[in-house]
Amino acid sequence: MNIPVSVIGGYLGAGKTTLLNRLLADPQGVRLAVVVNDFGSVNIDAALIANREGETISLTNGCVCCSIGDNLALALHDLAERPNGPEHIVIEASGVADPARIADYAASHPRLFLDGIIVVADAETVRTRVHDKYVGDLVRSQLETADLVVLSKVDLIDAAAFRQVRAWIAAEMPGARIVAAPRAGQVADLLLSGATGYAALSRPRADGEHARQFATWSFVHRQMLDGDALRTAVAALPPAVVRAKGIVRLVEAPERRFVLQLVGRRWSLEPEPVGTQDALASDPSVIVCIGLADQLEPEGLDALFASTPVAALPGAVRDLLQGEATT
Amino acid sequence: MPGPITIFSAKKIITMDPAVEEATHVAVRDGIILELGTLEECAVWGPYTLDDRFGDSILVPGLIESHAHLLDGLLWAKAEYVGPIDRRDPSGKLHEALKSVPALVKRLKEIEATISDSKTPLIGWGVDPSLNDLVDPITRHDLDQVSKTRPIFLLHASCHLAYVNSATLELANYAAIKAPGVLRDTSGAPTGELQEMAAMMAAIKAVASDLVGASTDTAQFFNFAKVAQARGATTIVDGGGSTYFEPAFLQAALAATGSPDFPVRIVAHNNGITVPKVEDMIAAATSLKDKGNDKLTFQGIKILVDGSNQGFTGRLRAPGYLRTGANGLWNRAPEELTRIVSAMHAAGMQIVAHCNADQASEVFIEAVAAAQAEKPRADHRHFIVHGQLLDEAQLRRMAALGISATLFSNHMYYWGDFHRAHTFGAFRAAAMNPAATALRLGVIVSAHSDTPVSPVDPLLTMWAAVNRVTTTGRVQGPKERVSAYEGLRMMTYNAAWLLHRDHEIGSLRVGKRADFTVLGSDPLTVEPMAIKDVPVLATILGGRVFSVAG
Ligand SMILES: [Zn+2]
């Protein structure tokens, strides 16, 4: 299995470490490796530490935390080649790093691929920070490279101020996907594309805070979907959608199931890995979108995906596609 | 019981001491200068052996390379030099410049023919066929002419790129590596050029793993020393990044430098580059303080503020890089830097700050100003490394705060035309490395090579500061040229002062160490453009003569 790599960037003090701590405290069953600049800043709960050996701290929940040392590529290659290695790698970029450059490292080994670039911004200070004469250009370019912007420290500002800063980023960076920092227990689910069995799609999310920020929209269809129509629909998802996942069956390869993963602006639609069970005729196509509760318009999403099931295509084309696909 | 006395005679001994500027003889005992003057004046100390092999030569204080990297020694140990600049290897052999791809391929074929085992990779370093003018990039097709079966890996002079042949691409499975720095042709096949570590790592691991991770090979120390000694250096700085705080590495360094045959003194900066936390830097520096030996000492903590100008990663003030207005990269956030500087300053440490472009210098200067306000300290000797775009306002502030610099004068020669055309434009290229203004304003400056970035060669660095001429012969910023005397002082006393060693080395005076560079002619009176060609005949370190090959 190849290993997805997430990059968490953002300027000094933006709240990357808090997010990482929440992630490590409840990785939702994913065997994570978190790669950081400096152990000291992570402050892992002592009760969680199983073992510390040189550049690696092993946690009781199966996760590991490694320091970059002086060579990030070397640290990642080591993780990629470990027997029983991690299922997901999260890199904490330094406060002055360009997260896009760090993301290049996710493609430095055949077994690794980029899952998403998450940039944390301090909701209270980000608007003044982009005018700083020393780091303004840096903070702005970090936000621009983000697949998903996470606003931290929102408890320090009121709802109106939160909406203002969100609107400001959306205006400055068209297409940006922006969320408030999730609580422990939701970080993995919201920021990392994780497991995607059908069970994962139906996991309930009951937390009150979560419900206030997010709304869920889903789509279930017994028909196979048209791959191109689906790709067009996903590419056109509005910025209110911050996370999506799905398991679908496509006319172009009916013997396989496909996995849809979207983290902010970055998404992929790939066949399930070789070795998983063949698709059953009864398998439905399921897509779940998580969006901002105050912005998500279910009717709009209904309309966007309406043309993806093959049944929605004109009859002659549909027959042709079905025919080709089954020969 | 004092040891025997040796008196060296010379045509002229240039002391760089303000009181007594010249002599013809120097008496040495136990590695220390006993007397300087005439033979008669030296002879009053009693029985001596006269060594007159340098009777027709010029003795100057041992030349000091104020910023270099041990990596140079590792590269000589692990790879073949195939760069566009003439360099002498540790054995003294000249490796002539390779200025075109055909010349490079021809040389690689010669090297290939000498490797007997068919699997041994061919590793090269220093490659840069487009040093100043842009030429077609090197591709795997070029390197496949050398060998289709033996892996080839060539590290670019910047260390930010590599070129590999098809055998390496295949061995390291580049078909499956999607990093954007793996350049691809129109058919999608890798061209063989790998940009940045994310793209290079698979190849390095497959064929050149010696180049990453802290090597404890003692050859790297000897190579580093020998290359510099052959060009007249008696003291060289290992400018940060090395991991002396690791016991195995320290052991290797002490073993090498402890040998009587080790030909230079190394002053190593403590590592503030790969150590994230300032408390750890200070702790390591404190614990290393007296762990050295006669030829290895630790001084200052080195931190990086920005990147490199020729790589467009130096942090510039407005209007940024030529045409694009783009800016470079911080190595640490300015506010973090301010905290680090203040902590080191308060702890009594000397701070050595790599600041290539002017915004980086500004942040460092202001950090020192804040630290000085919190805790005034005289004679801290914090200094800037490179400081290529320092202007008068910054230099005046540095003078007021006690900050000095080692400038990258070699840059004017090797990259002066490049900076004029591509990075800074005419004015800023002409204003680079302002040694004359710095000295006039009372800022003590030295100059350096930053080897392996440019070859370690103190006389060439002095020549570059004196002449400010580019590879195409243009003189840029003639007002910033220094006199030969000032140039020599930059490479001797001033460098020693930066390193807190001017009570021991950097000038010749009774009681100081008997470190000399022996020259074939007088660098203060030769035609200024000939300074770099003044022959280096030998060095003398603590009274012991080290010959120069060739
Ligand atoms: Zn350097």
Side-chain angles (χ1 to χ4, degrees):
Chain A
M1 280 288 283
N2 288 344
I3 309 168
V5 178
S6 301
V7 176
I8 299 192
Y11 189 65
L12 202 69
K16 299 186 293 287
T17 307
T18 310
L19 205 61
L20 283 177
N21 282 333
R22 289 179 189 172
L23 187 58
L24 283 171
D26 188 355
Q28 310 245 301
V30 182
R31 211 162 61 244
L32 283 177
V34 175
V35 182
V36 299
N37 283 295
D38 173 15
F39 284 147
S41 68
V42 198
N43 273 329
I44 302 165
D45 186 349
L48 265 178
I49 297 178
N51 178 29
R52 176 170 180 167
E53 223 181 279
E55 300 300 292
T56 303
I57 295 177
S58 308
L59 307 190
T60 50
N61 59 15
C63 297
V64 293
C65 184
C66 325
S67 81
I68 291 176
D70 58 0
N71 196 321
L72 174 60
L74 212 54
L76 289 177
H77 281 229
D78 173 52
L79 285 169
E81 287 162 17
R82 269 185 205 181
N84 274 318
E87 295 166 313
H88 198 120
I89 297 173
V90 178
I91 305 170
E92 179 199 27
S94 99
V96 289
D98 172 0
R101 284 201 186 204
I102 302 298
D104 290 346
Y105 285 83
S108 71
H109 191 281
R111 289 205 58 207
L112 305 178
F113 67 95
L114 180 64
D115 189 50
I117 300 174
I118 293 140
V119 171
V120 188
D122 182 329
E124 206 181 18
T125 61
V126 64
R127 288 183 73 173
T128 49
R129 190 78 84 183
V130 298
H131 297 296
D132 183 277
K133 77 167 165 171
Y134 295 136
V135 298
D137 59 324
L138 166 72
V139 171
R140 178 174 286 275
S141 83
Q142 287 177 338
L143 288 171
E144 281 167 355
T145 59
D147 293 318
L148 187 62
V149 175
V150 173
L151 286 171
S152 65
K153 307 184 187 174
V154 292
D155 46 334
L156 301 179
I157 57 175
D158 62 23
F162 172 71
R163 279 196 298 276
Q164 262 174 22
V165 66
R166 199 175 66 179
W168 172 80
I169 294 175
E172 294 281 315
M173 284 126 208
R177 315 281 168 122
I178 310 152
V179 298
R183 312 197 144 223
Q186 299 159 349
V187 181
D189 198 35
L190 189 68
L191 306 190
L192 316 180
S193 68
T196 48
Y198 284 110
L201 295 180
S202 57
R203 188 188 299 144
R205 44 192 100 248
D207 182 273
E209 192 71 27
H210 196 272
R212 271 201 296 283
Q213 185 178 186
F214 299 109
T216 302
W217 171 93
S218 56
F219 165 104
V220 182
H221 218 289
R222 292 273 157 210
Q223 288 275 340
M224 275 191 274
L225 307 186
D226 174 56
D228 289 339
L230 178 62
R231 290 182 184 97
T232 306
V234 174
L237 280 170
V241 173
V242 295
R243 174 86 167 89
K245 44 187 172 178
I247 298 174
V248 297
R249 295 183 58 222
L250 300 182
V251 175
E252 61 201 41
E255 72 289 351
R256 306 285 296 277
R257 284 177 297 251
F258 282 70
V259 177
L260 170 71
Q261 290 282 13
L262 176 146
V263 176
R265 288 193 290 203
R266 183 178 301 271
W267 61 273
S268 65
L269 179 62
E270 301 282 348
E272 277 187 322
V274 184
T276 40
Q277 190 192 339
D278 286 351
L280 302 174
S282 60
D283 284 344
S285 289
V286 182
I287 295 171
V288 179
C289 293
I290 301 167
L292 303 172
D294 58 345
Q295 292 182 359
L296 197 72
E297 292 170 1
E299 309 75 33
L301 296 181
D302 289 343
L304 195 58
F305 284 91
S307 62
T308 59
V310 174
L313 294 173
V317 179
R318 183 189 67 219
D319 293 345
L320 189 67
L321 286 171
Q322 296 273 36
E324 269 183 7
T326 47
T327 51
Chain B
M1 184 62 189
I5 297 170
T6 301
I7 295 180
F8 292 97
S9 67
K11 190 165 151 192
K12 180 158 97 179
I13 299 174
I14 300 171
T15 67
M16 302 311 279
D17 183 277
V20 179
E21 292 191 310
E22 281 182 22
T24 55
H25 291 76
V26 56
V28 175
R29 187 176 70 193
D30 298 328
I32 300 296
I33 296 172
L34 204 55
E35 186 59 275
L36 271 156
T38 61
L39 180 59
E40 272 182 332
E41 288 162 343
C42 291
V44 300
W45 283 90
Y48 61 87
T49 309
L50 180 67
D51 188 335
D52 60 2
R53 69 182 119 167
F54 304 124
D56 290 331
S57 310
I58 308 291
L59 258 62
V60 298
L63 299 170
I64 301 172
E65 166 56 66
S66 57
H67 186 74
H69 292 282
L70 180 64
L71 174 63
D72 183 78
L74 185 68
L75 290 170
W76 284 117
K78 306 294 182 188
E80 302 280 345
Y81 176 67
V82 283
I85 296 171
D86 285 351
R87 279 194 196 234
R88 283 187 189 277
D89 70 19
S91 76
K93 184 179 155 219
L94 179 70
H95 294 249
E96 271 174 39
L98 302 171
K99 291 181 174 168
S100 70
V101 176
L104 173 69
V105 168
K106 181 166 170 283
R107 173 71 57 81
L108 289 170
K109 282 181 176 165
E110 292 162 12
I111 297 168
E112 210 273 339
T114 66
I115 311 174
S116 46
D117 179 76
S118 67
K119 295 244 163 34
T120 308
L122 195 174
I123 313 300
W125 69 280
V127 180
D128 188 4
S130 62
L131 183 60
N132 268 311
D133 26 28
L134 305 171
V135 300
D136 285 343
I138 298 170
T139 68
R140 70 189 149 92
H141 303 295
D142 298 316
L143 302 183
D144 287 350
Q145 293 174 40
V146 179
S147 176
K148 285 194 169 62
T149 51
R150 178 192 306 286
I152 298 177
F153 178 92
L154 306 180
L155 188 64
H156 189 270
S158 68
C159 296
H160 283 278
L161 337 170
Y163 306 100
V164 298
N165 66 344
S166 298
T168 300
L169 288 169
E170 200 166 313
L171 189 68
N173 191 16
Y174 270 87
I177 295 171
K178 304 285 189 294
V182 180
L183 300 199
R184 290 172 190 275
D185 61 24
T186 44
S187 75
T191 66
E193 179 170 343
L194 310 174
Q195 299 182 341
E196 300 296 337
M197 196 50 93
M200 284 153 55
M201 184 47 79
I204 291 177
K205 281 191 69 181
V207 306
S209 57
D210 281 346
L211 299 182
V212 290
S215 170
T216 52
D217 189 344
T218 51
Q220 66 188 322
F221 298 98
F222 275 98
N223 291 339
F224 181 48
K226 283 179 172 169
V227 171
Q229 184 269 336
R231 295 305 304 151
T234 56
T235 294
I236 55 179
V237 168
D238 180 15
S242 297
T243 52
Y244 293 95
F245 52 80
E246 280 173 5
F249 187 83
L250 179 63
Q251 223 37 60
L254 289 172
T257 54
S259 157
D261 295 330
F262 198 76
V264 300
R265 304 185 198 284
I266 292 180
V267 178
H269 293 322
N270 289 287
N271 185 329
I273 298 173
T274 64
V275 177
K277 278 184 128 83
V278 67
E279 303 81 59
D280 295 337
M281 296 174 207
I282 293 171
T286 306
S287 80
L288 281 169
K289 203 166 187 316
D290 7 83
K291 293 266 168 65
N293 58 32
D294 195 40
K295 293 184 198 150
L296 174 66
T297 50
F298 302 96
Q299 181 68 47
I301 302 178
K302 170 79 180 298
I303 53 175
L304 295 180
V305 181
D306 65 346
S308 82
N309 296 329
Q310 69 275 33
F312 299 92
T313 50
R315 270 311 290 198
L316 280 168
R317 295 187 293 190
Y321 282 103
L322 189 62
R323 297 187 193 95
T324 62
N327 209 339
L329 302 175
W330 293 109
N331 199 273
R332 288 182 190 270
E335 31 189 310
E336 185 192 9
L337 194 90
T338 302
R339 278 200 304 275
I340 287 177
V341 164
S342 146
M344 287 187 195
H345 179 85
M349 298 285 147
Q350 180 190 18
I351 308 165
V352 179
H354 161 120
C355 306
N356 242 316
D358 50 357
Q359 196 178 49
S361 298
E362 176 176 306
V363 164
F364 178 67
I365 292 166
E366 293 317 314
V368 172
Q372 280 287 43
E374 269 169 38
K375 179 169 178 176
R377 241 184 91 193
D379 204 27
H380 49 70
R381 302 196 199 183
H382 303 326
F383 70 91
I384 287 176
V385 173
H386 308 321
Q388 299 211 56
L389 288 180
L390 291 171
D391 68 2
E392 185 178 354
Q394 291 182 324
L395 288 164
R396 284 185 187 278
R397 199 147 166 71
M398 287 165 65
L401 292 163
I403 305 168
S404 50
T406 175
L407 300 173
F408 204 163
S409 298
N410 283 18
H411 241 261
M412 187 58 90
Y413 176 51
Y414 289 115
W415 287 280
D417 294 318
F418 182 85
H419 287 311
R420 181 182 159 92
H422 302 295
T423 53
F424 299 147
F427 188 100
R428 287 181 292 180
M432 281 173 24
N433 298 298
T437 299
L439 293 173
R440 181 167 55 80
L441 296 175
V443 176
I444 295 182
V445 289
S446 178
H448 62 265
S449 70
D450 202 18
T451 191
V453 177
S454 78
V456 51
D457 187 344
L459 287 174
L460 180 110
T461 303
M462 171 184 166
W463 169 89
V466 167
N467 292 289
R468 295 180 65 88
V469 64
T470 69
T471 49
T472 57
R474 187 202 329 267
V475 175
Q476 294 191 155
K479 290 278 186 193
E480 294 294 355
R481 288 181 297 195
V482 297
S483 68
Y485 184 85
E486 288 167 326
L488 185 58
R489 200 164 165 85
M490 286 167 71
M491 305 311 294
T492 54
Y493 189 89
N494 291 6
W497 185 87
L498 290 184
L499 302 173
H500 270 283
R501 297 288 184 281
D502 54 320
H503 56 297
E504 293 184 338
I505 57 173
S507 66
L508 306 180
R509 191 181 169 93
V510 171
K512 291 183 86 165
R513 288 181 185 256
D515 291 2
F516 314 94
T517 303
V518 183
L519 302 175
S521 51
D522 182 349
L524 301 185
T525 57
V526 297
E527 160 63 24
M529 280 298 281
I531 291 171
K532 70 178 167 56
D533 305 315
V534 166
V536 174
L537 305 178
T539 60
I540 301 173
L541 192 71
R544 173 171 166 173
V545 176
F546 287 85
S547 61
V548 165

